[in-house]
Amino acid sequence: LPEGGDLAYAGHQLEGWRIKYTVTDEESGEDKIVSTVFKLGSEFTMPAADVTASAEWKALTKISYIVCDPNLSYADQVTGNVPTGGLYTPGTTITLPLQGDLKLEGYTFLGWYDVDFDSVWEPGASYTVLSISNELIGTWGKNCVISFTAGDGTGDGPAAIQAVEGK
Protein backbone atom coordinates (compact mmCIF):
# COMPACT_ATOMS: atom_id res chain seq x y z
CA LEU A 1 0.00 0.00 0.00
CA PRO A 2 1.28 3.50 -0.78
CA GLU A 3 2.33 6.31 1.52
CA GLY A 4 -0.18 9.12 2.02
CA GLY A 5 0.60 11.41 -0.89
CA ASP A 6 -0.45 14.95 0.03
CA LEU A 7 -3.24 13.98 2.45
CA ALA A 8 -3.46 16.24 5.47
CA TYR A 9 -5.56 16.45 8.63
CA ALA A 10 -4.60 19.26 11.04
CA GLY A 11 -3.14 18.01 14.31
CA HIS A 12 -2.97 14.40 13.08
CA GLN A 13 -0.49 12.00 11.53
CA LEU A 14 -1.39 9.49 8.86
CA GLU A 15 -0.93 6.03 10.39
CA GLY A 16 -2.16 3.75 7.62
CA TRP A 17 -5.09 2.61 5.54
CA ARG A 18 -8.35 0.99 6.64
CA ILE A 19 -9.20 -1.52 3.92
CA LYS A 20 -12.90 -2.36 3.76
CA TYR A 21 -14.69 -4.77 1.46
CA THR A 22 -17.62 -7.16 1.36
CA VAL A 23 -17.34 -10.90 0.90
CA THR A 24 -20.04 -13.53 0.73
CA ASP A 25 -19.82 -16.27 3.33
CA GLU A 26 -19.67 -19.57 1.42
CA GLU A 27 -21.67 -21.53 4.00
CA SER A 28 -24.44 -19.07 4.86
CA GLY A 29 -24.47 -17.05 1.67
CA GLU A 30 -24.61 -13.86 3.77
CA ASP A 31 -22.53 -10.80 2.97
CA LYS A 32 -19.85 -10.02 5.51
CA ILE A 33 -17.91 -6.75 5.80
CA VAL A 34 -14.16 -7.14 6.31
CA SER A 35 -12.31 -4.15 7.76
CA THR A 36 -8.59 -4.16 8.58
CA VAL A 37 -6.03 -1.40 9.18
CA PHE A 38 -2.68 -1.68 7.40
CA LYS A 39 0.35 0.46 8.18
CA LEU A 40 1.71 2.70 5.43
CA GLY A 41 3.88 0.76 3.01
CA SER A 42 2.44 -2.62 4.08
CA GLU A 43 1.77 -5.38 1.62
CA PHE A 44 -1.84 -6.24 0.95
CA THR A 45 -3.25 -9.25 -0.89
CA MET A 46 -6.14 -8.18 -3.05
CA PRO A 47 -9.39 -10.11 -2.43
CA ALA A 48 -11.86 -10.99 -5.16
CA ALA A 49 -13.80 -7.80 -4.44
CA ASP A 50 -13.52 -4.04 -4.84
CA VAL A 51 -12.04 -2.39 -1.76
CA THR A 52 -12.16 1.03 -0.19
CA ALA A 53 -9.00 2.33 1.47
CA SER A 54 -9.71 5.10 4.00
CA ALA A 55 -6.95 7.06 5.71
CA GLU A 56 -6.43 6.17 9.39
CA TRP A 57 -5.26 9.14 11.44
CA LYS A 58 -3.64 9.39 14.88
CA ALA A 59 -4.07 12.57 16.89
CA LEU A 60 -0.84 14.36 17.75
CA THR A 61 -0.12 15.85 21.17
CA LYS A 62 0.61 19.56 21.42
CA ILE A 63 3.40 20.59 23.78
CA SER A 64 3.82 24.29 24.51
CA TYR A 65 5.97 26.26 26.91
CA ILE A 66 5.17 29.16 29.24
CA VAL A 67 8.16 30.97 30.75
CA CYS A 68 6.59 31.40 34.17
CA ASP A 69 3.35 30.77 36.07
CA PRO A 70 1.24 33.76 34.95
CA ASN A 71 -0.31 33.99 38.44
CA LEU A 72 3.00 34.95 40.09
CA SER A 73 3.71 38.63 40.76
CA TYR A 74 7.01 38.52 38.85
CA ALA A 75 5.69 36.64 35.77
CA ASP A 76 5.90 39.71 33.53
CA GLN A 77 9.55 40.27 34.49
CA VAL A 78 10.90 37.18 32.72
CA THR A 79 12.85 38.14 29.61
CA GLY A 80 14.07 36.08 26.68
CA ASN A 81 12.63 33.87 24.00
CA VAL A 82 10.00 31.27 24.79
CA PRO A 83 11.01 27.85 23.44
CA THR A 84 8.99 26.63 20.49
CA GLY A 85 6.62 23.79 21.21
CA GLY A 86 5.30 21.36 18.68
CA LEU A 87 3.04 18.47 17.77
CA TYR A 88 4.26 15.01 18.72
CA THR A 89 3.11 11.43 18.42
CA PRO A 90 2.07 10.15 21.87
CA GLY A 91 4.76 7.91 23.32
CA THR A 92 7.56 9.85 21.61
CA THR A 93 10.46 10.88 23.83
CA ILE A 94 11.58 14.48 23.39
CA THR A 95 14.37 16.49 24.99
CA LEU A 96 13.03 19.42 26.99
CA PRO A 97 14.54 22.79 26.11
CA LEU A 98 17.37 24.33 28.05
CA GLN A 99 17.01 27.72 29.75
CA GLY A 100 18.33 29.45 26.64
CA ASP A 101 18.25 33.23 27.06
CA LEU A 102 15.39 33.25 29.58
CA LYS A 103 16.25 35.44 32.55
CA LEU A 104 14.56 36.59 35.73
CA GLU A 105 16.57 38.96 37.92
CA GLY A 106 17.24 37.45 41.37
CA TYR A 107 16.03 33.96 40.38
CA THR A 108 17.50 30.73 39.01
CA PHE A 109 15.73 28.69 36.35
CA LEU A 110 14.88 25.26 37.83
CA GLY A 111 13.17 23.59 34.90
CA TRP A 112 9.77 22.85 33.39
CA TYR A 113 6.76 22.15 35.60
CA ASP A 114 4.26 19.60 34.30
CA VAL A 115 0.86 19.93 35.97
CA ASP A 116 -0.13 16.38 34.94
CA PHE A 117 2.86 14.84 36.73
CA ASP A 118 2.99 17.54 39.45
CA SER A 119 6.74 17.61 39.05
CA VAL A 120 9.55 19.74 37.67
CA TRP A 121 11.63 18.33 34.83
CA GLU A 122 15.19 19.58 34.53
CA PRO A 123 16.18 21.48 31.39
CA GLY A 124 17.48 19.01 28.79
CA ALA A 125 15.69 16.04 30.42
CA SER A 126 14.07 13.30 28.36
CA TYR A 127 10.28 13.60 28.44
CA THR A 128 7.76 11.10 27.11
CA VAL A 129 4.82 12.78 25.40
CA LEU A 130 1.42 11.67 26.67
CA SER A 131 -1.78 11.58 24.66
CA ILE A 132 -3.00 14.85 26.18
CA SER A 133 -1.82 18.28 25.13
CA ASN A 134 -0.17 20.26 27.85
CA GLU A 135 1.81 23.33 28.71
CA LEU A 136 5.12 23.06 30.51
CA ILE A 137 5.67 26.02 32.79
CA GLY A 138 9.08 27.53 33.51
CA THR A 139 9.85 27.24 37.23
CA TRP A 140 12.08 29.67 39.04
CA GLY A 141 13.71 29.56 42.49
CA LYS A 142 14.59 32.75 44.37
CA ASN A 143 18.32 33.27 44.87
CA CYS A 144 19.06 33.39 48.60
CA VAL A 145 22.03 33.57 50.95
CA ILE A 146 22.76 31.44 54.01
CA SER A 147 24.77 33.51 56.48
CA PHE A 148 26.54 32.02 59.52
CA THR A 149 27.03 33.87 62.79
CA ALA A 150 28.59 32.96 66.10
CA GLY A 151 25.23 33.25 67.85
CA ASP A 152 26.08 33.66 71.55
CA GLY A 153 29.71 32.70 70.82
CA THR A 154 32.59 34.65 69.35
CA GLY A 155 34.55 34.50 66.13
CA ASP A 156 33.81 34.48 62.46
CA GLY A 157 31.47 31.88 61.02
CA PRO A 158 31.98 30.22 57.69
CA ALA A 159 31.58 32.27 54.54
CA ALA A 160 28.03 32.84 53.34
CA ILE A 161 26.63 30.29 50.91
CA GLN A 162 24.58 31.11 47.83
CA ALA A 163 21.40 29.02 47.74
CA VAL A 164 18.31 28.69 45.58
CA GLU A 165 14.78 28.30 46.88
CA GLY A 166 13.49 24.81 46.24
CA LYS A 167 16.94 23.21 45.89
Side-chain angles (χ1 to χ4, degrees):
L1 295 171
E3 298 296 322
D6 65 352
L7 294 176
Y9 180 15
H12 292 74
Q13 176 179 338
L14 182 62
E15 288 288 300
W17 299 102
R18 177 170 296 280
I19 303 295
K20 203 179 227 185
Y21 57 94
T22 303
V23 295
T24 303
D25 185 286
E26 292 178 15
E27 290 180 21
S28 68
E30 294 180 17
D31 284 344
K32 177 178 150 185
I33 295 175
V34 177
S35 178
T36 307
V37 176
F38 291 86
K39 295 227 177 260
L40 298 175
S42 295
E43 293 201 13
F44 167 70
T45 301
M46 187 67 187
D50 290 336
V51 301
T52 301
S54 299
E56 278 290 308
W57 301 94
K58 184 174 187 175
L60 297 174
T61 298
K62 181 178 181 181
I63 300 292
S64 57
Y65 300 95
I66 300 175
V67 296
C68 185
D69 181 342
N71 298 314
L72 298 175
S73 62
Y74 53 79
D76 62 345
Q77 297 170 26
V78 177
T79 61
N81 295 304
V82 179
T84 303
L87 293 173
Y88 302 94
T89 302
T92 301
T93 299
I94 61 172
T95 301
L96 293 178
L98 301 174
Q99 178 177 352
D101 65 351
L102 294 175
K103 290 183 178 37
L104 177 58
E105 188 68 35
Y107 290 80
T108 296
F109 184 73
L110 300 177
W112 301 101
Y113 177 70
D114 183 339
V115 175
D116 297 315
F117 286 108
D118 190 26
S119 60
V120 176
W121 297 76
E122 291 186 17
S126 292
Y127 178 85
T128 301
V129 177
L130 301 176
S131 59
I132 54 173
S133 296
N134 62 355
E135 295 175 322
L136 298 175
I137 303 168
T139 302
W140 301 83
K142 185 168 178 44
N143 296 335
C144 303
V145 175
I146 301 173
S147 301
F148 300 91
T149 66
D152 291 337
T154 61
D156 295 328
I161 298 173
Q162 299 296 316
V164 177
E165 167 195 20
K167 284 211 144 209

